Amino acid sequence: MFAYCTDPASLDGLAWLSCYLTTGKHMNFYWSFGTVLLLLAITAPTALLFGYAGASAARSTLAPLRWFGQIYMAIVRSVPDIVFFLFFVIALDQGIEYLRHVTLCPDWDQPVRQGNDFVVCTAAKMPLGNAPQWMHEIYGAGLAVLTFALVFGAFAANVLFGAMRAVPRAQLETAEAYGMTRRQVTRRVLVPQMWVYALPGLSNLWMVLIKATPLLFLLGVEDIVYWARELGGTKSPRFTDYPHGDWRVYYFGFLLLFYLAFTKVSEVVLSRLMARLTLGQATAGGEAQRKAA
Amino acid sequence: MSCAQTIADYAFRSLGYGERLLPRSDFTLCQQFTLIGSGMIWNVYFGVLALLAGFALATVLALGKASSRAVLRKPAEWFVFLFRGSPLFIQFFFAYFLFQSLSSGYPMLSGLTSAWAGALVVLFFNTSAYSAEIFYGALQSIPKGDTEAADAYGLSGWSRFRRVIWPTMLRLAWPAYTNEAIFLFHATTLVFVSGFPAIQQRGDALYYASYFADKTFNPFVPYPILAGYFIVLTLIVITLFNAINRRLNRHLPSDARRRVKYRPQLVR
């Protein structure tokens, strides 16, 4: 990175450290923070969408749809999270490949499951065997995001379902009295008002989601945990210009600090958002704000 | 090989007894049930011990956090923030590497690098922090009348705490604490997927479930079995905690008792 970094062996102290911390691999490490934040930024709205769909399904007047929503909320919440993460990634992958197999290779006569193997025709492989490396990475990350969204969607569904029920009934009745259809009531009255009730639950969920991001590592994404293990391990002088002992404890200490800071920032932002949303609402929080003003 | 034989071979495999080699091919349903069940021993071990020890530390931390003296309050607040604000997964990694570098300096600490002690310490601190927050919340919402009545009876110091504050705190905190306990049992699955190695393939239930899923490339059998075991474990925990809850609230009329409501969270 810097001009004086050409011969690291001759450096020591801060100069050495500044060179060490700017190697190509460290740049990858820093970028992986971006990856995690990006995945978080994609996952959160997706999970919210799944949650909204789940909550709407659970409120539906159609019985099968309602059961589907309720079962979705119940099942995902009663088993350890990580089991779902590990399960869904393989299950989704196999599900997608199986569907493609059925549509793309209709004249394939062998069973898909042969003993311990899962065999689909070459055309049905996802991504295709000859696809470039980045396609594989994107696909892997996509599966991870979908898995996260499925699991967190169930939790979000539960929160939104509760929030929708918390909107005062009188508000909805008034809207009905004005002659609004069910859809109009939902869009103009229910949804705008439910957020204030949903926010405590959703902010809790956000905190949990932040703390779930290291599990991306288990799903095969090259995230910060991956790089911290990679960079922290003992490096012998034979393979690198920057030999050092086992430094993983420092790297993981840094990750710990990163998460603590992230949590703190989120707390501050969410409490501001909450103050904003409660403004003028007929809740205890809104009342307290009115009195303070 | 009959199922009884499999159970005899693998029932205590997770503790290192019985057949040394794990099954490598032709996996039967019985093998999967037995080995995953064998792994559950670790989940129960971690959960029960961390919960018991954590209960004591959590009470101390909650009192510390509610204290008016900054010397007591600040450390408790920092402890709770540290363990609640960071992912348990990272805590496991960090602790493992920390114990490793410590044990090179102090050989007597080398036991901590193995899961049975090291991961237990992390889970113990973690559940203490989460429970402390619950107990702290309960301490804050003890009805003023209760403490005033205690003062009026001339109770003070230890007897005031032991007879009035503590029971009321537990009563208020119990429904949330039940969830924390369930949540802790779920969190024990993280031990062997983080830094702590499963020596000689002695792992917990998730370790064996993912072993089978990797070997058979079929997640639809081992993970549902694991889920089934956890649902049973969760039901047992709920039953036990409900019994304690009834005992705590036995002086109240039955309709005024607060019911334990199952509100699970995930990942911590």
Side-chain angles (χ1 to χ4, degrees), chain A residues 77 81-82 94 113 116 118 151 204 208 211 214 248-249 252-253 263, chain B residues 84-85 87 89 94 97 130 189 216-217 223 226 264-267:
Chain A
R77 292 173 29 161
D81 40 71
I82 181 179
Q94 290 187 355
R113 264 189 208 294
N116 293 338
F118 182 81
V151 175
N204 191 20
V208 175
K211 284 190 262 164
R248 286 178 294 189
V249 63
F252 278 94
T263 309
Chain B
R84 289 186 78 234
F89 193 57
F94 180 70
F97 297 128
Y130 277 88
T189 47
T216 59
F217 205 55
Y223 288 127
L226 178 62
Q265 281 181 296
L266 72 172
V267 206

PDB file of all heavy atoms in Angstrom, chain A residues 77 81-82 94 113 116 118 151 204 208 211 214 248-249 252-253 263, chain B residues 84-85 87 89 94 97 130 189 216-217 223 226 264-267:
ATOM      1  N   ARG A  77     -40.611 -20.649  14.828  1.00  0.00           N
ATOM      2  CA  ARG A  77     -40.229 -20.060  16.096  1.00  0.00           C
ATOM      3  C   ARG A  77     -39.930 -21.063  17.192  1.00  0.00           C
ATOM      4  O   ARG A  77     -39.467 -20.683  18.255  1.00  0.00           O
ATOM      5  CB  ARG A  77     -41.332 -19.113  16.554  1.00  0.00           C
ATOM      6  CG  ARG A  77     -41.433 -17.888  15.656  1.00  0.00           C
ATOM      7  CD  ARG A  77     -42.617 -17.104  16.039  1.00  0.00           C
ATOM      8  NE  ARG A  77     -42.794 -17.357  17.450  1.00  0.00           N
ATOM      9  CZ  ARG A  77     -43.477 -16.633  18.283  1.00  0.00           C
ATOM     10  NH1 ARG A  77     -44.109 -15.644  17.876  1.00  0.00           N
ATOM     11  NH2 ARG A  77     -43.568 -16.920  19.538  1.00  0.00           N
ATOM     12  N   ASP A  81     -32.959 -21.727  15.988  1.00  0.00           N
ATOM     13  CA  ASP A  81     -32.597 -20.956  14.810  1.00  0.00           C
ATOM     14  C   ASP A  81     -31.592 -21.603  13.886  1.00  0.00           C
ATOM     15  O   ASP A  81     -31.805 -21.790  12.702  1.00  0.00           O
ATOM     16  CB  ASP A  81     -32.007 -19.668  15.349  1.00  0.00           C
ATOM     17  CG  ASP A  81     -31.133 -19.987  16.558  1.00  0.00           C
ATOM     18  OD1 ASP A  81     -30.088 -20.547  16.369  1.00  0.00           O
ATOM     19  OD2 ASP A  81     -31.556 -19.713  17.683  1.00  0.00           O
ATOM     20  N   ILE A  82     -30.473 -22.006  14.464  1.00  0.00           N
ATOM     21  CA  ILE A  82     -29.337 -22.433  13.661  1.00  0.00           C
ATOM     22  C   ILE A  82     -29.662 -23.714  12.904  1.00  0.00           C
ATOM     23  O   ILE A  82     -29.193 -23.940  11.796  1.00  0.00           O
ATOM     24  CB  ILE A  82     -28.118 -22.590  14.569  1.00  0.00           C
ATOM     25  CG1 ILE A  82     -26.936 -23.014  13.767  1.00  0.00           C
ATOM     26  CG2 ILE A  82     -28.353 -23.508  15.691  1.00  0.00           C
ATOM     27  CD1 ILE A  82     -25.718 -23.151  14.584  1.00  0.00           C
ATOM     28  N   GLN A  94     -31.479 -27.855  -2.907  1.00  0.00           N
ATOM     29  CA  GLN A  94     -31.984 -29.079  -3.525  1.00  0.00           C
ATOM     30  C   GLN A  94     -33.359 -28.854  -4.146  1.00  0.00           C
ATOM     31  O   GLN A  94     -33.663 -29.400  -5.204  1.00  0.00           O
ATOM     32  CB  GLN A  94     -32.053 -30.203  -2.490  1.00  0.00           C
ATOM     33  CG  GLN A  94     -30.673 -30.665  -2.075  1.00  0.00           C
ATOM     34  CD  GLN A  94     -30.715 -31.889  -1.186  1.00  0.00           C
ATOM     35  OE1 GLN A  94     -31.788 -32.342  -0.804  1.00  0.00           O
ATOM     36  NE2 GLN A  94     -29.557 -32.412  -0.867  1.00  0.00           N
ATOM     37  N   ARG A 113     -32.657 -39.163  -5.821  1.00  0.00           N
ATOM     38  CA  ARG A 113     -31.887 -39.598  -4.658  1.00  0.00           C
ATOM     39  C   ARG A 113     -31.377 -41.009  -4.866  1.00  0.00           C
ATOM     40  O   ARG A 113     -32.161 -41.959  -4.918  1.00  0.00           O
ATOM     41  CB  ARG A 113     -32.766 -39.583  -3.409  1.00  0.00           C
ATOM     42  CG  ARG A 113     -32.604 -38.335  -2.644  1.00  0.00           C
ATOM     43  CD  ARG A 113     -33.256 -38.325  -1.316  1.00  0.00           C
ATOM     44  NE  ARG A 113     -33.588 -36.947  -1.013  1.00  0.00           N
ATOM     45  CZ  ARG A 113     -32.660 -36.016  -0.815  1.00  0.00           C
ATOM     46  NH1 ARG A 113     -31.388 -36.324  -0.843  1.00  0.00           N
ATOM     47  NH2 ARG A 113     -33.015 -34.785  -0.572  1.00  0.00           N
ATOM     48  N   ASN A 116     -26.724 -42.145  -1.013  1.00  0.00           N
ATOM     49  CA  ASN A 116     -26.300 -40.940  -0.324  1.00  0.00           C
ATOM     50  C   ASN A 116     -26.090 -39.768  -1.266  1.00  0.00           C
ATOM     51  O   ASN A 116     -25.515 -38.762  -0.884  1.00  0.00           O
ATOM     52  CB  ASN A 116     -24.992 -41.211   0.429  1.00  0.00           C
ATOM     53  CG  ASN A 116     -25.227 -42.179   1.559  1.00  0.00           C
ATOM     54  OD1 ASN A 116     -26.359 -42.328   2.022  1.00  0.00           O
ATOM     55  ND2 ASN A 116     -24.172 -42.839   1.990  1.00  0.00           N
ATOM     56  N   PHE A 118     -27.395 -36.946  -4.309  1.00  0.00           N
ATOM     57  CA  PHE A 118     -28.499 -36.190  -4.869  1.00  0.00           C
ATOM     58  C   PHE A 118     -28.092 -35.862  -6.296  1.00  0.00           C
ATOM     59  O   PHE A 118     -27.182 -35.065  -6.516  1.00  0.00           O
ATOM     60  CB  PHE A 118     -28.712 -34.918  -4.048  1.00  0.00           C
ATOM     61  CG  PHE A 118     -29.861 -34.087  -4.511  1.00  0.00           C
ATOM     62  CD1 PHE A 118     -31.156 -34.403  -4.149  1.00  0.00           C
ATOM     63  CD2 PHE A 118     -29.642 -32.988  -5.315  1.00  0.00           C
ATOM     64  CE1 PHE A 118     -32.214 -33.630  -4.565  1.00  0.00           C
ATOM     65  CE2 PHE A 118     -30.705 -32.209  -5.747  1.00  0.00           C
ATOM     66  CZ  PHE A 118     -31.986 -32.533  -5.371  1.00  0.00           C
ATOM     67  N   VAL A 151     -36.439 -17.248   7.971  1.00  0.00           N
ATOM     68  CA  VAL A 151     -36.478 -17.432   9.421  1.00  0.00           C
ATOM     69  C   VAL A 151     -36.930 -16.154  10.115  1.00  0.00           C
ATOM     70  O   VAL A 151     -37.840 -16.158  10.947  1.00  0.00           O
ATOM     71  CB  VAL A 151     -35.102 -17.875   9.938  1.00  0.00           C
ATOM     72  CG1 VAL A 151     -35.101 -17.936  11.442  1.00  0.00           C
ATOM     73  CG2 VAL A 151     -34.738 -19.219   9.361  1.00  0.00           C
ATOM     74  N   ASN A 204     -36.303  -4.859  18.314  1.00  0.00           N
ATOM     75  CA  ASN A 204     -35.731  -6.025  18.983  1.00  0.00           C
ATOM     76  C   ASN A 204     -35.228  -7.023  17.942  1.00  0.00           C
ATOM     77  O   ASN A 204     -34.127  -7.572  18.049  1.00  0.00           O
ATOM     78  CB  ASN A 204     -36.808  -6.663  19.858  1.00  0.00           C
ATOM     79  CG  ASN A 204     -36.241  -7.695  20.782  1.00  0.00           C
ATOM     80  OD1 ASN A 204     -35.051  -7.692  21.048  1.00  0.00           O
ATOM     81  ND2 ASN A 204     -37.077  -8.588  21.246  1.00  0.00           N
ATOM     82  N   VAL A 208     -31.516  -8.609  17.047  1.00  0.00           N
ATOM     83  CA  VAL A 208     -31.271 -10.039  16.929  1.00  0.00           C
ATOM     84  C   VAL A 208     -30.669 -10.359  15.561  1.00  0.00           C
ATOM     85  O   VAL A 208     -29.764 -11.175  15.434  1.00  0.00           O
ATOM     86  CB  VAL A 208     -32.586 -10.810  17.154  1.00  0.00           C
ATOM     87  CG1 VAL A 208     -32.369 -12.284  16.920  1.00  0.00           C
ATOM     88  CG2 VAL A 208     -33.094 -10.593  18.555  1.00  0.00           C
ATOM     89  N   LYS A 211     -27.063  -9.594  15.402  1.00  0.00           N
ATOM     90  CA  LYS A 211     -26.280 -10.601  16.111  1.00  0.00           C
ATOM     91  C   LYS A 211     -26.312 -11.938  15.401  1.00  0.00           C
ATOM     92  O   LYS A 211     -25.545 -12.831  15.744  1.00  0.00           O
ATOM     93  CB  LYS A 211     -26.789 -10.715  17.544  1.00  0.00           C
ATOM     94  CG  LYS A 211     -26.319  -9.540  18.371  1.00  0.00           C
ATOM     95  CD  LYS A 211     -26.596  -9.721  19.814  1.00  0.00           C
ATOM     96  CE  LYS A 211     -27.844  -8.998  20.213  1.00  0.00           C
ATOM     97  NZ  LYS A 211     -28.325  -9.448  21.503  1.00  0.00           N
ATOM     98  N   PRO A 214     -23.047 -13.173  12.094  1.00  0.00           N
ATOM     99  CA  PRO A 214     -21.883 -14.054  12.021  1.00  0.00           C
ATOM    100  C   PRO A 214     -22.241 -15.464  11.569  1.00  0.00           C
ATOM    101  O   PRO A 214     -21.362 -16.197  11.123  1.00  0.00           O
ATOM    102  CB  PRO A 214     -21.322 -14.056  13.437  1.00  0.00           C
ATOM    103  CG  PRO A 214     -22.183 -13.254  14.252  1.00  0.00           C
ATOM    104  CD  PRO A 214     -23.160 -12.561  13.423  1.00  0.00           C
ATOM    105  N   ARG A 248      -5.573 -14.697  16.478  1.00  0.00           N
ATOM    106  CA  ARG A 248      -7.029 -14.740  16.296  1.00  0.00           C
ATOM    107  C   ARG A 248      -7.775 -14.077  17.445  1.00  0.00           C
ATOM    108  O   ARG A 248      -8.833 -13.509  17.235  1.00  0.00           O
ATOM    109  CB  ARG A 248      -7.475 -16.191  16.133  1.00  0.00           C
ATOM    110  CG  ARG A 248      -7.105 -16.735  14.778  1.00  0.00           C
ATOM    111  CD  ARG A 248      -7.509 -18.154  14.650  1.00  0.00           C
ATOM    112  NE  ARG A 248      -6.751 -19.008  15.554  1.00  0.00           N
ATOM    113  CZ  ARG A 248      -6.795 -20.323  15.532  1.00  0.00           C
ATOM    114  NH1 ARG A 248      -7.563 -20.934  14.676  1.00  0.00           N
ATOM    115  NH2 ARG A 248      -6.096 -21.029  16.377  1.00  0.00           N
ATOM    116  N   VAL A 249      -7.187 -14.113  18.622  1.00  0.00           N
ATOM    117  CA  VAL A 249      -7.876 -13.508  19.760  1.00  0.00           C
ATOM    118  C   VAL A 249      -8.049 -11.998  19.542  1.00  0.00           C
ATOM    119  O   VAL A 249      -9.084 -11.425  19.859  1.00  0.00           O
ATOM    120  CB  VAL A 249      -7.151 -13.840  21.091  1.00  0.00           C
ATOM    121  CG1 VAL A 249      -5.771 -13.275  21.113  1.00  0.00           C
ATOM    122  CG2 VAL A 249      -7.937 -13.369  22.271  1.00  0.00           C
ATOM    123  N   PHE A 252     -10.799 -11.501  16.784  1.00  0.00           N
ATOM    124  CA  PHE A 252     -12.153 -11.707  17.284  1.00  0.00           C
ATOM    125  C   PHE A 252     -12.518 -10.663  18.329  1.00  0.00           C
ATOM    126  O   PHE A 252     -13.679 -10.287  18.446  1.00  0.00           O
ATOM    127  CB  PHE A 252     -12.343 -13.137  17.783  1.00  0.00           C
ATOM    128  CG  PHE A 252     -12.624 -14.075  16.653  1.00  0.00           C
ATOM    129  CD1 PHE A 252     -11.616 -14.787  16.049  1.00  0.00           C
ATOM    130  CD2 PHE A 252     -13.914 -14.190  16.160  1.00  0.00           C
ATOM    131  CE1 PHE A 252     -11.874 -15.616  14.976  1.00  0.00           C
ATOM    132  CE2 PHE A 252     -14.185 -15.016  15.092  1.00  0.00           C
ATOM    133  CZ  PHE A 252     -13.167 -15.738  14.496  1.00  0.00           C
ATOM    134  N   GLY A 253     -11.507 -10.166  19.047  1.00  0.00           N
ATOM    135  CA  GLY A 253     -11.764  -9.051  19.945  1.00  0.00           C
ATOM    136  C   GLY A 253     -12.248  -7.835  19.167  1.00  0.00           C
ATOM    137  O   GLY A 253     -13.186  -7.146  19.577  1.00  0.00           O
ATOM    138  N   THR A 263     -24.381  -2.310  17.809  1.00  0.00           N
ATOM    139  CA  THR A 263     -25.558  -2.398  18.664  1.00  0.00           C
ATOM    140  C   THR A 263     -25.877  -1.044  19.284  1.00  0.00           C
ATOM    141  O   THR A 263     -27.036  -0.619  19.318  1.00  0.00           O
ATOM    142  CB  THR A 263     -25.305  -3.422  19.785  1.00  0.00           C
ATOM    143  OG1 THR A 263     -24.853  -4.626  19.211  1.00  0.00           O
ATOM    144  CG2 THR A 263     -26.552  -3.683  20.572  1.00  0.00           C
TER     145      THR A 263
ATOM    146  N   ARG B  84     -24.765  -8.844  26.186  1.00  0.00           N
ATOM    147  CA  ARG B  84     -26.022  -8.761  25.438  1.00  0.00           C
ATOM    148  C   ARG B  84     -25.827  -8.051  24.106  1.00  0.00           C
ATOM    149  O   ARG B  84     -26.620  -8.207  23.202  1.00  0.00           O
ATOM    150  CB  ARG B  84     -27.093  -8.028  26.254  1.00  0.00           C
ATOM    151  CG  ARG B  84     -27.593  -8.845  27.421  1.00  0.00           C
ATOM    152  CD  ARG B  84     -28.732  -8.154  28.090  1.00  0.00           C
ATOM    153  NE  ARG B  84     -29.986  -8.303  27.373  1.00  0.00           N
ATOM    154  CZ  ARG B  84     -30.774  -7.311  26.990  1.00  0.00           C
ATOM    155  NH1 ARG B  84     -30.441  -6.076  27.250  1.00  0.00           N
ATOM    156  NH2 ARG B  84     -31.879  -7.557  26.356  1.00  0.00           N
ATOM    157  N   GLY B  85     -24.753  -7.260  24.022  1.00  0.00           N
ATOM    158  CA  GLY B  85     -24.574  -6.448  22.822  1.00  0.00           C
ATOM    159  C   GLY B  85     -23.786  -7.129  21.723  1.00  0.00           C
ATOM    160  O   GLY B  85     -23.670  -6.610  20.622  1.00  0.00           O
ATOM    161  N   PRO B  87     -22.732 -10.897  19.548  1.00  0.00           N
ATOM    162  CA  PRO B  87     -23.283 -12.213  19.236  1.00  0.00           C
ATOM    163  C   PRO B  87     -22.601 -13.315  20.051  1.00  0.00           C
ATOM    164  O   PRO B  87     -21.388 -13.291  20.227  1.00  0.00           O
ATOM    165  CB  PRO B  87     -22.968 -12.396  17.753  1.00  0.00           C
ATOM    166  CG  PRO B  87     -22.538 -11.072  17.254  1.00  0.00           C
ATOM    167  CD  PRO B  87     -22.016 -10.322  18.412  1.00  0.00           C
ATOM    168  N   PHE B  89     -22.078 -16.225  19.144  1.00  0.00           N
ATOM    169  CA  PHE B  89     -21.192 -16.942  18.231  1.00  0.00           C
ATOM    170  C   PHE B  89     -19.777 -16.364  18.283  1.00  0.00           C
ATOM    171  O   PHE B  89     -18.786 -17.077  18.386  1.00  0.00           O
ATOM    172  CB  PHE B  89     -21.787 -16.804  16.829  1.00  0.00           C
ATOM    173  CG  PHE B  89     -21.182 -17.721  15.806  1.00  0.00           C
ATOM    174  CD1 PHE B  89     -21.180 -19.077  15.984  1.00  0.00           C
ATOM    175  CD2 PHE B  89     -20.648 -17.202  14.647  1.00  0.00           C
ATOM    176  CE1 PHE B  89     -20.647 -19.923  15.022  1.00  0.00           C
ATOM    177  CE2 PHE B  89     -20.119 -18.032  13.678  1.00  0.00           C
ATOM    178  CZ  PHE B  89     -20.113 -19.396  13.870  1.00  0.00           C
ATOM    179  N   PHE B  94     -14.089 -15.827  20.411  1.00  0.00           N
ATOM    180  CA  PHE B  94     -13.170 -14.979  21.163  1.00  0.00           C
ATOM    181  C   PHE B  94     -12.692 -15.708  22.411  1.00  0.00           C
ATOM    182  O   PHE B  94     -11.494 -15.766  22.687  1.00  0.00           O
ATOM    183  CB  PHE B  94     -13.867 -13.665  21.531  1.00  0.00           C
ATOM    184  CG  PHE B  94     -12.998 -12.742  22.309  1.00  0.00           C
ATOM    185  CD1 PHE B  94     -11.927 -12.114  21.713  1.00  0.00           C
ATOM    186  CD2 PHE B  94     -13.243 -12.509  23.651  1.00  0.00           C
ATOM    187  CE1 PHE B  94     -11.111 -11.266  22.428  1.00  0.00           C
ATOM    188  CE2 PHE B  94     -12.425 -11.673  24.377  1.00  0.00           C
ATOM    189  CZ  PHE B  94     -11.365 -11.051  23.769  1.00  0.00           C
ATOM    190  N   PHE B  97     -10.162 -18.559  21.656  1.00  0.00           N
ATOM    191  CA  PHE B  97      -8.801 -18.122  21.354  1.00  0.00           C
ATOM    192  C   PHE B  97      -8.158 -17.456  22.565  1.00  0.00           C
ATOM    193  O   PHE B  97      -6.949 -17.576  22.779  1.00  0.00           O
ATOM    194  CB  PHE B  97      -8.807 -17.189  20.139  1.00  0.00           C
ATOM    195  CG  PHE B  97      -9.288 -17.886  18.901  1.00  0.00           C
ATOM    196  CD1 PHE B  97     -10.295 -17.347  18.124  1.00  0.00           C
ATOM    197  CD2 PHE B  97      -8.754 -19.107  18.539  1.00  0.00           C
ATOM    198  CE1 PHE B  97     -10.750 -18.012  17.000  1.00  0.00           C
ATOM    199  CE2 PHE B  97      -9.199 -19.774  17.425  1.00  0.00           C
ATOM    200  CZ  PHE B  97     -10.200 -19.229  16.653  1.00  0.00           C
ATOM    201  N   TYR B 130     -28.180 -11.937  30.257  1.00  0.00           N
ATOM    202  CA  TYR B 130     -29.568 -11.836  29.793  1.00  0.00           C
ATOM    203  C   TYR B 130     -30.541 -11.923  30.968  1.00  0.00           C
ATOM    204  O   TYR B 130     -31.494 -11.153  31.051  1.00  0.00           O
ATOM    205  CB  TYR B 130     -29.878 -12.936  28.775  1.00  0.00           C
ATOM    206  CG  TYR B 130     -29.437 -12.600  27.374  1.00  0.00           C
ATOM    207  CD1 TYR B 130     -28.170 -12.903  26.931  1.00  0.00           C
ATOM    208  CD2 TYR B 130     -30.304 -11.944  26.507  1.00  0.00           C
ATOM    209  CE1 TYR B 130     -27.762 -12.594  25.648  1.00  0.00           C
ATOM    210  CE2 TYR B 130     -29.912 -11.624  25.223  1.00  0.00           C
ATOM    211  CZ  TYR B 130     -28.630 -11.956  24.801  1.00  0.00           C
ATOM    212  OH  TYR B 130     -28.235 -11.634  23.534  1.00  0.00           O
ATOM    213  N   THR B 189     -26.660 -25.184  21.030  1.00  0.00           N
ATOM    214  CA  THR B 189     -26.311 -25.816  19.755  1.00  0.00           C
ATOM    215  C   THR B 189     -25.142 -25.111  19.078  1.00  0.00           C
ATOM    216  O   THR B 189     -24.531 -25.659  18.168  1.00  0.00           O
ATOM    217  CB  THR B 189     -27.496 -25.785  18.776  1.00  0.00           C
ATOM    218  OG1 THR B 189     -28.042 -24.474  18.770  1.00  0.00           O
ATOM    219  CG2 THR B 189     -28.548 -26.777  19.177  1.00  0.00           C
ATOM    220  N   THR B 216     -25.118 -37.784   4.045  1.00  0.00           N
ATOM    221  CA  THR B 216     -26.191 -38.302   3.186  1.00  0.00           C
ATOM    222  C   THR B 216     -26.641 -37.281   2.166  1.00  0.00           C
ATOM    223  O   THR B 216     -27.390 -37.600   1.258  1.00  0.00           O
ATOM    224  CB  THR B 216     -27.412 -38.699   4.015  1.00  0.00           C
ATOM    225  OG1 THR B 216     -27.864 -37.538   4.712  1.00  0.00           O
ATOM    226  CG2 THR B 216     -27.073 -39.774   5.015  1.00  0.00           C
ATOM    227  N   PHE B 217     -26.223 -36.020   2.349  1.00  0.00           N
ATOM    228  CA  PHE B 217     -26.683 -34.912   1.524  1.00  0.00           C
ATOM    229  C   PHE B 217     -28.207 -34.848   1.507  1.00  0.00           C
ATOM    230  O   PHE B 217     -28.843 -34.539   0.522  1.00  0.00           O
ATOM    231  CB  PHE B 217     -26.143 -35.036   0.097  1.00  0.00           C
ATOM    232  CG  PHE B 217     -26.073 -33.704  -0.594  1.00  0.00           C
ATOM    233  CD1 PHE B 217     -25.389 -32.652  -0.026  1.00  0.00           C
ATOM    234  CD2 PHE B 217     -26.716 -33.497  -1.800  1.00  0.00           C
ATOM    235  CE1 PHE B 217     -25.346 -31.421  -0.636  1.00  0.00           C
ATOM    236  CE2 PHE B 217     -26.678 -32.258  -2.419  1.00  0.00           C
ATOM    237  CZ  PHE B 217     -25.986 -31.229  -1.840  1.00  0.00           C
ATOM    238  N   TYR B 223     -32.322 -33.201  10.476  1.00  0.00           N
ATOM    239  CA  TYR B 223     -32.736 -31.945  11.108  1.00  0.00           C
ATOM    240  C   TYR B 223     -34.123 -32.031  11.728  1.00  0.00           C
ATOM    241  O   TYR B 223     -34.317 -31.545  12.856  1.00  0.00           O
ATOM    242  CB  TYR B 223     -32.610 -30.777  10.126  1.00  0.00           C
ATOM    243  CG  TYR B 223     -31.169 -30.408   9.853  1.00  0.00           C
ATOM    244  CD1 TYR B 223     -30.668 -30.325   8.576  1.00  0.00           C
ATOM    245  CD2 TYR B 223     -30.294 -30.183  10.907  1.00  0.00           C
ATOM    246  CE1 TYR B 223     -29.338 -30.020   8.330  1.00  0.00           C
ATOM    247  CE2 TYR B 223     -28.962 -29.878  10.690  1.00  0.00           C
ATOM    248  CZ  TYR B 223     -28.487 -29.795   9.396  1.00  0.00           C
ATOM    249  OH  TYR B 223     -27.181 -29.493   9.179  1.00  0.00           O
ATOM    250  N   LEU B 226     -33.637 -33.730  15.005  1.00  0.00           N
ATOM    251  CA  LEU B 226     -33.084 -32.772  15.965  1.00  0.00           C
ATOM    252  C   LEU B 226     -34.166 -31.823  16.467  1.00  0.00           C
ATOM    253  O   LEU B 226     -34.282 -31.567  17.668  1.00  0.00           O
ATOM    254  CB  LEU B 226     -31.956 -31.999  15.282  1.00  0.00           C
ATOM    255  CG  LEU B 226     -31.281 -30.906  16.091  1.00  0.00           C
ATOM    256  CD1 LEU B 226     -30.624 -31.487  17.310  1.00  0.00           C
ATOM    257  CD2 LEU B 226     -30.242 -30.198  15.249  1.00  0.00           C
ATOM    258  N   PRO B 264     -40.612 -17.328  22.279  1.00  0.00           N
ATOM    259  CA  PRO B 264     -39.202 -17.582  21.989  1.00  0.00           C
ATOM    260  C   PRO B 264     -38.594 -16.518  21.082  1.00  0.00           C
ATOM    261  O   PRO B 264     -39.298 -15.868  20.322  1.00  0.00           O
ATOM    262  CB  PRO B 264     -39.245 -18.920  21.263  1.00  0.00           C
ATOM    263  CG  PRO B 264     -40.561 -18.928  20.616  1.00  0.00           C
ATOM    264  CD  PRO B 264     -41.492 -18.132  21.457  1.00  0.00           C
ATOM    265  N   GLN B 265     -37.307 -16.352  21.246  1.00  0.00           N
ATOM    266  CA  GLN B 265     -36.564 -15.502  20.319  1.00  0.00           C
ATOM    267  C   GLN B 265     -35.576 -16.405  19.629  1.00  0.00           C
ATOM    268  O   GLN B 265     -35.485 -17.577  19.932  1.00  0.00           O
ATOM    269  CB  GLN B 265     -35.778 -14.472  21.101  1.00  0.00           C
ATOM    270  CG  GLN B 265     -36.605 -13.328  21.567  1.00  0.00           C
ATOM    271  CD  GLN B 265     -35.733 -12.368  22.294  1.00  0.00           C
ATOM    272  OE1 GLN B 265     -35.171 -12.671  23.328  1.00  0.00           O
ATOM    273  NE2 GLN B 265     -35.580 -11.202  21.738  1.00  0.00           N
ATOM    274  N   LEU B 266     -34.809 -15.894  18.733  1.00  0.00           N
ATOM    275  CA  LEU B 266     -33.779 -16.762  18.190  1.00  0.00           C
ATOM    276  C   LEU B 266     -32.421 -16.122  18.395  1.00  0.00           C
ATOM    277  O   LEU B 266     -32.332 -15.136  19.102  1.00  0.00           O
ATOM    278  CB  LEU B 266     -34.032 -17.106  16.738  1.00  0.00           C
ATOM    279  CG  LEU B 266     -33.843 -16.063  15.680  1.00  0.00           C
ATOM    280  CD1 LEU B 266     -33.978 -16.726  14.353  1.00  0.00           C
ATOM    281  CD2 LEU B 266     -34.826 -14.956  15.814  1.00  0.00           C
ATOM    282  N   VAL B 267     -31.441 -16.724  17.804  1.00  0.00           N
ATOM    283  CA  VAL B 267     -30.052 -16.280  17.879  1.00  0.00           C
ATOM    284  C   VAL B 267     -29.750 -15.177  18.880  1.00  0.00           C
ATOM    285  O   VAL B 267     -30.422 -14.178  18.917  1.00  0.00           O
ATOM    286  CB  VAL B 267     -29.600 -15.714  16.537  1.00  0.00           C
ATOM    287  CG1 VAL B 267     -28.121 -15.861  16.402  1.00  0.00           C
ATOM    288  CG2 VAL B 267     -30.323 -16.333  15.416  1.00  0.00           C
TER     289      VAL B 267
END
